[in-house]
């Protein structure tokens, strides 16, 4: 492990661990998270992490994920 740890949307200072239960309870997809929380809509760097979070339930990431294409 490289010592890298990504756990939140930096722009909104929102931990993925607090987003996951809300997203699951409300049935949110990535667009819903952006609309409801603002996460993933400013710089967009957290979008791949949010996507994986929704797919796998992970809230801590130890690797850089590729950014979404513009």
């Amino acid at each position: 492990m490289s010592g890298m740890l990504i756990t939140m949307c930096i722009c909104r200072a929102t931990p993925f661990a607090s987003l996951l239960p809300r997203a699951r309870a409300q049935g949110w997809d990535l667009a819903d998270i952006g609309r409801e929380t603002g996460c993933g809509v400013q710089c967009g760097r957290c979008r791949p992490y949010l996507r994986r979070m929704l797919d796998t339930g992970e809230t801590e990431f130890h690797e850089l994920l590729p950014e979404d294409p513009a």
Side-chain angles (χ1 to χ4, degrees), residues 4-51:
M4 174 183 307
L5 182 60
I6 300 164
T7 61
M8 69 172 44
C9 168
I10 298 299
C11 294
R12 304 298 293 179
T14 305
F16 299 140
S18 70
L19 286 174
L20 181 60
R22 292 176 64 196
R24 292 232 166 118
Q26 299 297 320
W28 289 346
D29 63 12
L30 188 59
D32 296 325
I33 289 174
R35 183 178 55 255
E36 297 296 327
T37 70
C39 294
V41 298
Q42 192 165 347
C43 81
R45 186 63 192 109
C46 67
R47 290 178 64 83
Y49 300 96
L50 292 170
R51 186 174 289 110

